[in-house]
């Protein structure tokens, strides 16, 4: 067991955010921590890592116990890096202890080869311990590990001497995650790790974490991610934490069953409470029955109340419909480059975009981060200009646009004004009813837009979209900043929408449920795929296998051509052929000698670290000398081999 949490509370202004939390993290398990925005997930992580104090019960109970020598790595939503460092310098910090050990081992090797007596014995003992630790933690593969993780996290083409301050915010977040992965803590705590990751990086991260040796605690709204990785889901709801075995899909089933059981218990208890209260009211004033009524009141006071299941908390309602049927061909984009910026700062993201959207299609546009997916949505709507090509909309098209930055909202408007400005014919009662459907009620309708959370702004935008009744929905990351419950409602509304959808999203769960067509954009190409995200992934895997097969065929063809070229080369002199034969023979001989030297070095290193050799100073000196000579000779042989190898 890595961490054990018992009976902890957390109060804010006298109101409990977390209530009687009991929680454990075992070795080698991956846990997903979920809950609505503001339920206390990040607060709970801060308590686990000792960055925030917790409150105890009135009896003094409450504890967070961490096992001895457990190393915890915590990726915050806004992790910091040493911005003056280079990428390589920052990644090497993950191996600072191993690098210190390596330097010390180099010092000890010199001491063992130069000193005798107790000094040599002490150095030998220390060297053996450090070597064992260094090898057990793959110290000889530090550079390989750094390259592997940087490539996986999308930095394969980024020079490692680049200064971190020149990276974008998203790149810094990815780099912080890369550094944390290299540190390999016993417990890896990730708070929304999938933000700023494209599909390629995300799929690599999932595979990497599936084989992670330690335990992982993940806070994420990415249900696809939770489904693939987690063996347990823990939900914070109404201040309490409940644990469910299995991944996110298993959690949904268990949560439904648990809520149904709790509802039955709640309803049965409410009936019992009603009977008791009725009896007490009718009998407490009668002399003959007052004693019985008092006894029933005592039972009622002592009764442990069953809470009403949260599943019956009113969910938001999002109904998307339209009035006018558009033409069959909704949108045609022909040979349009996608550019951003002006003047000297102008940059072309996509050289030529071609796209055809038909009525009723639910089309998702995907591609690498920074390729210009949001710019495509703005360009086709005329919000940013295009210099070449044609953008043609069909007839009777009415667009409802969801902007991930909520730029359509005036921050100085109240929520009520945001709706009334767009729909002046609606009464305040009608507006309140529409806002209430997305759970913006009461005094919240008078809040300025500027103070709304990201999730509240998104709900306001969904309300405006529903009222607009557009037959074409243009959506830019609509599930960002909203809780899981609202996501599920939105997904259902989009899946049922009979009109046309043009969607940009990183939410694979959403793409799977809503999209029936995928458009993948890159700098030089636009590829179309029929079906949802799973279908797209299958097709991409097939393309990858075909590409690998083509590369294998190309390699085989090259081998055959080289063979033919050698066979046709009949005009070389006898001396040239003799020299070539000598060179080949020498290469073969060197390879055998190198193999033997490497074997001898490995054996000498093993002997040096053994207690028997360490105890004999003369033998130790001899072995160290042999090791040094063998390494020098190996270096000479490798240099000669490199010169001879064509």
């Amino acid at each position: 067991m890595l961490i054990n949490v018992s009976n902890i509370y957390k109060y804010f202004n006298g109101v409990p955010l977390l209530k009687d939390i009991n929680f454990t993290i075992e070795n080698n398990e991956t846990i997903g921590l979920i809950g609505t925005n503001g339920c206390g997930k990040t607060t709970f992580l801060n308590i686990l890592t000792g960055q925030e104090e917790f409150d105890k019960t009135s009896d003094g109970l409450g504890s967070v116990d961490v096992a001895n020598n457990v190393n915890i790595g915590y990726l915050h939503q806004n992790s910091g890096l040493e911005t003056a460092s280079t990428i390589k310098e920052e990644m090497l910090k993950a191996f600072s202890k191993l690098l210190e050990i390596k330097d010390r081992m180099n010092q000890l090797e010199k001491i063992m080869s130069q000193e005798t007596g107790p000094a040599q014995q002490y150095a030998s003992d220390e060297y053996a311990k450090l070597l064992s630790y260094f090898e057990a933690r793959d110290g000889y593969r530090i550079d390989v590990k750094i390259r592997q993780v940087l490539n996986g996290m999308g930095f394969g083409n980024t020079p490692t001497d680049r200064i971190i301050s020149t990276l974008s915010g998203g790149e810094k977040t990815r780099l912080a995650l890369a550094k944390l992965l290299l540190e390999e803590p016993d417990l890896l705590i990730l708070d929304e790790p999938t933000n700023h990751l494209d599909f390629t990086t995300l799929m690599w991260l999932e595979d990497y974490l599936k084989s992670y040796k330690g335990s992982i605690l993940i806070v994420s709204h990415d249900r696809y991610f939770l489904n693939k990785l987690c063996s347990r889901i823990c939900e914070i709801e109404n201040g309490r934490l409940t644990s469910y075995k299995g991944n996110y899909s298993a959690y949904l089933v268990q949560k439904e069953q648990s809520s149904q059981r709790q509802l039955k218990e709640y309803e049965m208890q409410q009936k019992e409470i009603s009977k008791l209260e009725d009896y007490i009211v009718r009998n407490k004033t009668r002399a003959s029955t007052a004693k019985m009524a008092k006894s029933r009141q005592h039972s009622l006071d002592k009764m442990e109340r069953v809470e009403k299941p949260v599943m019956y908390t009113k969910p938001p309602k999002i109904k998307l419909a339209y009035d006018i049927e558009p033409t069959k061909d909704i949108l045609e984009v022909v040979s349009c480059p996608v550019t951003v910026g002006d003047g000297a700062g102008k940059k072309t993201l996509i050289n030529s975009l071609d796209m055809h959207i038909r009525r009723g299609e639910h089309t998702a546009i995907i591609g690498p981060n920074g390729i210009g997916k949001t710019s495509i949505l703005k360009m086709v709507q005329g919000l940013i200009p295009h210099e070449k090509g044609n953008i043609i909309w069909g007839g009777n098209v009415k667009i409802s646009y969801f902007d991930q930055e909520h730029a359509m909202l005036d921050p100085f408007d109240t929520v009520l004004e945001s709706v009334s400005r767009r729909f002046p014919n609606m009464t305040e009662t009608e507006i309140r009813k529409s806002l209430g459907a997305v759970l913006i009620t009461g005094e919240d309708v008078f809040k300025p837009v500027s103070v709304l959370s990201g999730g509240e702004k998104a709900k306001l935008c969904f309300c405006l979209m529903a009222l607009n009744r557009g037959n074409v929905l243009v959506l830019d990351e609509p599930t960002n900043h909203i809780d899981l419950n609202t996501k599920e409602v939105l997904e259902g509304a989009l899946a049922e929408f009979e009109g046309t959808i043009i969607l940009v999203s990183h939410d694979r769960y959403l793409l799977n449920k809503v999209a029936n067509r995928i458009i993948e954009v890159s700098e030089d190409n636009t590829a179309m795929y029929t079906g949802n995200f799973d279908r797209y992934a299958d097709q991409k895997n097939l393309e990858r296998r075909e590409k690998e097969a083509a590369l294998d065929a190309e390699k085989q063809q090259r081998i055959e051509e080289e063979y033919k070229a050698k066979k046709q080369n009949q005009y070389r002199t006898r001396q040239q052929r003799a020299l070539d034969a000598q060179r080949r023979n020498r290469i073969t001989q060197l390879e055998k000698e190198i193999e033997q030297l490497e074997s001898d070095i490995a054996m000498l290193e093993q002997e040096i670290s053994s207690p028997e050799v360490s105890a004999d100073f003369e033998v130790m000196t001899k072995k160290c000398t042999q090791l040094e000579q063998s390494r020098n000779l190996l270096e000479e042989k490798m240099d000669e081999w490199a010169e001879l190898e064509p």
Side-chain angles (χ1 to χ4, degrees), residues 176-385:
L177 177 54
K179 181 182 177 183
L180 189 58
L181 294 176
L182 289 170
E183 290 172 353
E184 297 182 343
D186 303 309
L187 173 60
L188 188 59
I189 300 180
L190 305 176
D191 192 357
E192 297 293 353
T194 62
N195 291 351
H196 309 291
L197 302 186
D198 58 27
F199 290 136
T200 301
T201 305
L202 188 51
M203 288 186 280
W204 177 88
L205 178 61
E206 287 169 345
D207 290 338
Y208 188 92
L209 293 178
K210 283 187 75 173
S211 59
Y212 190 75
K213 295 178 182 178
S215 294
I216 309 173
L217 177 60
I218 304 169
V219 171
S220 179
H221 286 88
D222 189 332
R223 293 153 293 170
Y224 205 98
F225 191 71
L226 296 173
N227 246 1
K228 189 164 185 179
L229 289 175
C230 294
S231 56
R232 181 154 63 104
I233 299 292
C234 292
E235 181 180 32
I236 297 179
E237 192 174 52
N238 279 348
R240 300 189 183 277
L241 186 146
T242 307
S243 180
Y244 300 86
K245 291 183 179 179
N247 62 8
Y248 185 79
S249 293
Y251 148 77
L252 288 177
V253 174
Q254 294 173 67
K255 175 66 181 296
E256 174 69 17
Q257 293 172 345
S258 174
S259 296
Q260 292 291 350
R261 286 195 302 269
Q262 188 177 344
L263 178 63
K264 289 180 181 178
E265 293 173 4
Y266 173 79
E267 290 175 342
M268 289 175 62
Q269 188 182 67
Q270 288 302 305
K271 289 180 181 179
E272 178 65 19
I273 290 171
S274 181
K275 288 179 182 179
L276 288 172
E277 289 176 340
D278 181 63
Y279 182 89
I280 293 166
V281 169
R282 287 188 291 105
N283 293 280
K284 64 181 180 180
T285 57
R286 293 183 187 176
S288 59
T289 58
K291 188 174 182 180
M292 288 294 296
K294 187 176 181 180
S295 175
R296 301 278 175 99
Q297 182 66 57
H298 183 67
S299 298
L300 185 62
D301 294 340
K302 290 177 61 179
M303 184 181 293
E304 185 175 349
R305 301 300 175 101
V306 176
E307 293 183 357
K308 186 177 182 179
V310 180
M311 65 176 286
Y312 286 92
T313 299
K314 184 179 179 181
K317 293 180 181 179
I318 302 172
K319 179 65 176 177
L320 301 170
Y322 59 93
D323 302 312
I324 305 171
E325 191 73 31
T327 55
K328 183 178 179 180
D329 293 314
I330 297 293
L331 173 63
E332 184 83 19
V333 180
V334 182
S335 303
C336 280
V338 180
T339 60
V340 294
D342 297 313
K346 182 178 176 181
K347 181 180 180 182
T348 299
L349 302 176
I350 299 174
N351 294 324
S352 180
L353 177 68
D354 293 278
M355 192 166 63
H356 186 196
I357 308 293
R358 296 179 179 86
R359 184 178 62 212
E361 287 182 336
H362 292 185
T363 301
I365 301 173
I366 66 173
N369 288 344
I371 195 62
K373 300 184 291 295
T374 294
S375 297
I376 291 173
L377 298 185
K378 291 181 178 180
M379 182 183 74
V380 298
Q381 295 180 84
L383 300 177
I384 60 174

Side-chain angles (χ1 to χ4, degrees), residues 533-566:
F533 184 83
D534 279 346
R535 180 77 180 276
Y536 157 79
D538 290 340
Q539 290 177 282
K540 291 296 289 185
N541 287 333
L542 178 61
E543 289 177 8
R544 177 181 54 80
R545 289 192 292 268
E546 290 175 346
K547 184 177 180 180
E548 290 173 351
L551 289 174
D552 289 342
E554 182 182 342
K555 182 178 180 181
Q556 184 62 33
Q557 182 180 359
R558 188 166 60 250
I559 292 172
E560 291 176 358
E561 290 174 352
E562 289 175 355
Y563 174 75
K564 290 178 181 178
K566 288 179 180 179

Side-chain angles (χ1 to χ4, degrees), residues 383-493:
L383 300 177
I384 60 174
H386 69 284
E387 298 177 350
K388 300 178 183 177
N390 292 309
I391 297 174
I392 306 165
W393 284 96
N396 294 328
V397 167
K398 184 178 182 181
I399 297 173
S400 290
Y401 178 39
F402 181 94
D403 178 3
Q404 66 168 315
E405 297 176 351
H406 311 304
M408 63 185 291
L409 301 176
D410 187 333
F412 298 104
D413 278 346
T414 66
V415 173
L416 200 63
E417 289 169 343
S418 290
V419 181
S420 63
R421 286 184 191 277
R422 291 168 176 81
F423 305 98
N425 294 328
M426 292 182 67
T427 66
E428 181 175 329
T429 300
E430 290 172 334
I431 293 174
R432 280 177 169 272
K433 183 178 179 181
S434 297
L435 290 170
V438 294
L439 306 184
I440 301 178
T441 59
E443 296 300 311
D444 288 346
V445 302
F446 300 112
K447 283 183 177 180
V449 169
S450 59
V451 305
L452 297 180
S453 68
E456 289 171 327
K457 289 178 182 176
K459 289 177 182 177
L460 175 56
C461 289
F462 297 147
C463 174
L464 294 172
M465 287 182 64
L467 291 172
N468 190 50
R469 299 182 69 82
N471 51 30
V472 176
L473 306 183
V474 179
L475 309 171
D476 188 9
E477 300 290 358
T479 57
N480 281 2
H481 309 299
I482 62 175
D483 56 70
L484 293 173
N485 191 31
T486 304
K487 281 185 182 181
E488 291 168 3
V489 172
L490 175 64
E491 287 161 358

